[in-house]
Amino acid sequence: ELYRSDKLDEKTHIYGIIGNPVSHTSSPNIHNPGFEAIRYNAVYVPFLVDSVRAFFKLAEMLQIHGFSVTVPHKRSVQPYLGRITREVKQIGSCNTVVRIQNMWKGINTDYYGFLVPIEALIAQGEIRNALVIGAGGASRAVVWALHNHGVKVTILNRSIEHARTLANETMSAYDTLENAYLYSETVDLVVQTTNVGMGDLMGQEPCPSLHFSGKEFVYELVYKPEETVFLKRAKEAGCTIITGKQMLMEQGKLQFEAFTGYHYPHWVDVVL
Ligand code: ATR
């Protein structure tokens, strides 16, 4: 339905997502209904990509207008970009590439998508201290976003070396996950960025010793399932929760804007 060839013609702009694996991506379900709703002649297609270099050649041949980037290419696309934003440079990760004046520009909408639900709270001084669980790729965008907005961050991670590296770059504090209980009721925001709770690790939580006061905002990046054991526990303690699904949608809307120059149509009922 999304890629019906009779909807395409010589003027159709091609967009897509590159990654491996890429078959389970939900991004087409954001962009294609968005294009359709505003009558924008475009299509968004998943491309299973091993060689980033070969894909950039193809992108020229097909005159691709922009694309999303997922695992394992968020870092390796960067040598092919003519321009990158400050955030891409800081995080070392690019999830969106757009063609601007015959040049490829790399941006990171995970960074901004993460901020959307909490921006006003930070501005109002309601979020000053944060605990970030995990120190992988997703965590880098989160920690840099919080740091750039003046929030004091403590990173808790299974491997202390990964925590230390990111903490040193962002002037954050760090500790191991085992010490999570020491940080109970000390922060305004807790962000869970690890993959514990999804896939093979479904039903588990990364820091069961961390106790919630009920006053914190608790934000989780996992979006499948929408509510993990961790988030359920936070909700039961009375915390305000923000889900990975919200962040996924926000970053998708920003990507749509970068691709088309139009706001994402609010009347689309997106099925993620
Ligand atoms: P992503 O891009 O989703 O952040 P990643 O870069 O592979 O993925 O990072 C995975 C994160 O989840 C890391 O913080 C990892 O901890 P380590 O740095 O110690 O590897 C964390 N993680 C993965 N499996 C975990 C588990 N079983 N328990 C605790 N943390 C785990």
Side-chain angles (χ1 to χ4, degrees), residues 134-138 157-159 162 177 194-196 201:
N157 197 48
R158 177 177 60 181
S159 111
H162 293 165
L177 268 184
T194 76
N195 45 339
V196 181
L201 303 174

Side-chain angles (χ1 to χ4, degrees), residues 4-14 40-43:
R4 287 183 62 103
S5 61
D6 58 7
K7 287 185 187 163
L8 312 182
D9 57 39
E10 75 281 2
K11 292 201 186 97
T12 305
H13 285 189
I14 304 173
Y40 191 81
N41 186 359
V43 66

Side-chain angles (χ1 to χ4, degrees), residues 34-251:
F35 294 150
E36 182 140 11
I38 64 165
R39 304 257 177 274
Y40 191 81
N41 186 359
V43 66
Y44 181 97
V45 192
F47 294 97
L48 181 65
V49 168
D50 288 320
S51 163
V52 167
R53 174 203 280 270
F55 180 77
F56 272 93
K57 273 194 189 155
L58 181 76
E60 290 303 335
M61 280 191 284
L62 298 180
Q63 281 293 299
I64 288 174
H65 276 72
F67 53 95
S68 315
V69 183
T70 188
V71 177
H73 302 313
K74 287 185 180 188
R75 198 175 276 274
S76 50
V77 290
Q78 288 173 55
Y80 302 93
L81 305 175
R83 272 173 66 192
I84 56 170
T85 59
R86 176 183 76 146
E87 298 80 46
V88 169
K89 195 166 184 167
Q90 288 179 326
I91 305 165
S93 167
C94 166
N95 80 327
T96 308
V97 175
V98 285
R99 186 192 286 278
I100 289 178
Q101 291 156 358
N102 255 338
M103 190 165 63
W104 296 111
K105 180 180 177 189
I107 60 181
N108 192 312
T109 63
D110 288 334
Y111 175 99
Y112 289 104
F114 164 72
L115 280 172
V116 171
I118 55 170
E119 237 167 356
L121 296 165
I122 295 174
Q124 290 154 13
E126 286 194 50
I127 295 176
R128 294 174 199 273
N129 300 288
L131 204 57
V132 175
I133 316 297
S139 173
R140 292 188 64 82
V142 166
V143 174
W144 272 109
L146 293 170
H147 170 69
N148 287 345
H149 285 76
V151 177
K152 284 211 174 67
V153 177
T154 302
I155 302 164
L156 299 183
N157 197 48
R158 177 177 60 181
S159 111
I160 194 77
E161 298 82 46
H162 293 165
R164 185 187 298 125
T165 306
L166 181 55
N168 287 347
E169 283 176 47
T170 55
M171 291 180 268
S172 305
Y174 65 96
D175 206 338
T176 61
L177 268 184
E178 287 146 41
N179 285 338
Y181 68 97
L182 296 174
Y183 298 87
S184 298
E185 303 196 21
T186 61
V187 294
D188 311 310
L189 170 72
V190 180
V191 190
Q192 200 305 83
T193 72
T194 76
N195 45 339
V196 181
M198 62 184 279
D200 295 343
L201 303 174
M202 205 178 289
Q204 299 184 34
E205 62 169 310
C207 47
S209 72
L210 180 74
H211 165 81
F212 300 112
S213 74
K215 294 199 189 92
E216 312 88 332
F217 292 89
V218 178
Y219 197 150
E220 180 158 54
L221 269 49
V222 170
Y223 59 89
K224 240 181 212 167
E226 191 173 7
E227 210 173 274
T228 59
V229 180
F230 170 83
L231 221 50
K232 232 176 248 166
R233 191 161 68 79
K235 205 172 170 181
E236 277 161 16
C239 301
T240 305
I241 62 164
I242 306 160
T243 68
K245 226 174 183 171
Q246 280 171 266
M247 169 170 163
L248 180 67
M249 198 56 223
E250 293 302 341
Q251 75 76 27

